[in-house]
Amino acid sequence: MLHLRLITPAGRTDDVVRLIEKTPGTTHLAVVSGAARNPSGDIVMCDVAREAGDELIEGLRALEIDKHGSIALENIDLSLSLRADKAEDEAPGEGADAVLWEHLTDATHEESTLSVTYVAFITLATMIAACGVVLDNAILIVGAMAVGPEFGPLAGFCTALIQRAPRLALRSLIALLVGFAVAMLATVGFSYFMDAVDLFNGEALDAARPNTNFIYRPDWFSFVVAVLAGAAGTLSLTSAKSGALVGVAISVTTVPAAANAAVAFSYGKYNQAWGSTEQLLLNLLGIVLAGTLTLLAQKLLWTRQRERTVRKRELA
């Protein structure tokens, strides 16, 4: 269940209440007249089944509550109520399959913004991966994958394509490209420093490296894994199962490939640098392709589900 809290202009409260009451999957409706001060108006609260949330938010935006008031939505961790159980039964479809597009757009907007924190995370992750590359240490590679924040801009770009939001697409693309560019440039400098203090050496890159040589040897498995991980990551975002994102992060070779390319470039190992860059691009392409197709499939399936529900209501 989701908890919806609204600030509505007094003249639109009745319309909002009617919308909530006629939307299947809503319950626990409460209205506090004149309680809001900034902006002034009434406070309306209700609980709504996740699968009915997107429809209700669309209706509220059609009433321009987002422009003249406020719409806030949050997850309910525990709800002990027979009315809540009934509301979930009345709502169309399954909550795990529902996509809250406004929530997804807002979440990916935050995660895909180029910020100091984002650049710091991706740079640190790339440096950790650089250490893993030189030491041929799989644990450091996995750790760097988990630290890397690059899935946020990738998810934002996929969402922007489906929602036809060019600004979000551009913001995500800038965060992705600038983030990797800064991280790789900083890692080149980091590699020079580590070499100067005798912690890195070029011979380590020429060694067999059984644990990490896959990073600069892209193949079809790299692309297939990226596609599967992209689909899993997108599903984890849309279904609010964020725990799966950790598995996604350590399934794709993005940050390690960027790190290997940077270290190889610093030692003039251009074949490895190009192979790592190809690995990076293959993974990014696979994630974007899978993420976009997954969102498109979810949107089509949920639209059909809602159309069937509307027809049933009309026939009832």
Side-chain angles (χ1 to χ4, degrees), residues 206-268:
D206 294 326
R209 293 169 56 193
N211 294 318
T212 58
N213 61 22
F214 68 93
I215 294 173
Y216 60 89
R217 294 177 179 175
D219 53 24
W220 279 107
F221 276 106
S222 303
F223 184 73
V224 169
V225 171
V227 168
L228 296 175
T234 303
L235 286 173
S236 72
L237 284 177
T238 57
S239 62
K241 297 184 181 298
S242 58
L245 282 177
V246 177
V248 173
I250 61 176
S251 299
V252 290
T253 317
T254 48
V255 166
N260 198 92
V263 176
F265 182 82
S266 69
Y267 284 107

Side-chain angles (χ1 to χ4, degrees), residues 5-10 32-44 68-70:
R5 186 183 72 254
L6 309 171
I7 296 178
T8 66
V32 186
S33 299
R37 293 293 180 267
N38 184 22
S40 61
D42 304 328
I43 293 178
V44 179
H68 303 289
S70 169

Side-chain angles (χ1 to χ4, degrees), residues 35-160:
R37 293 293 180 267
N38 184 22
S40 61
D42 304 328
I43 293 178
V44 179
M45 296 174 288
C46 73
D47 294 341
V48 56
R50 180 181 175 84
E51 51 269 42
D54 195 56
E55 178 184 358
L56 183 55
I57 291 175
E58 284 184 6
L60 292 169
R61 295 198 68 178
L63 293 173
E64 298 186 334
I65 301 303
D66 55 322
K67 295 180 180 179
H68 303 289
S70 169
I71 302 174
L73 194 67
E74 59 186 355
N75 284 307
I76 298 176
D77 294 328
L78 177 64
S79 178
L80 302 178
S81 167
L82 291 177
R83 288 182 176 273
D85 294 339
K86 183 180 179 182
E88 288 186 324
D89 292 337
E90 291 175 349
E94 296 294 332
D97 297 331
V99 180
L100 297 173
W101 290 101
E102 293 294 338
H103 178 270
L104 179 62
T105 301
D106 184 68
T108 52
H109 174 278
E110 181 180 352
E111 295 294 328
S112 60
T113 300
L114 184 64
S115 63
V116 174
T117 301
Y118 170 80
V119 173
F121 266 116
I122 196 168
T123 300
L124 292 172
T126 307
M127 289 180 176
I128 293 171
C131 295
V133 164
V134 174
L135 297 175
D136 192 36
N137 189 314
I139 294 176
L140 291 177
I141 296 296
V142 171
M145 290 175 172
V147 172
E150 72 279 7
F151 191 79
L154 288 168
F157 188 73
C158 297
T159 303

Side-chain angles (χ1 to χ4, degrees), residues 58 62 89 110 112 160 172 177 187 194 205 221 224 282 288 304 307:
E58 284 184 6
D89 292 337
E110 181 180 352
S112 60
S172 302
L177 297 180
T187 302
M194 294 294 279
L205 293 182
F221 276 106
V224 169
L282 271 177
V288 169
R304 291 182 179 178
E307 288 175 351

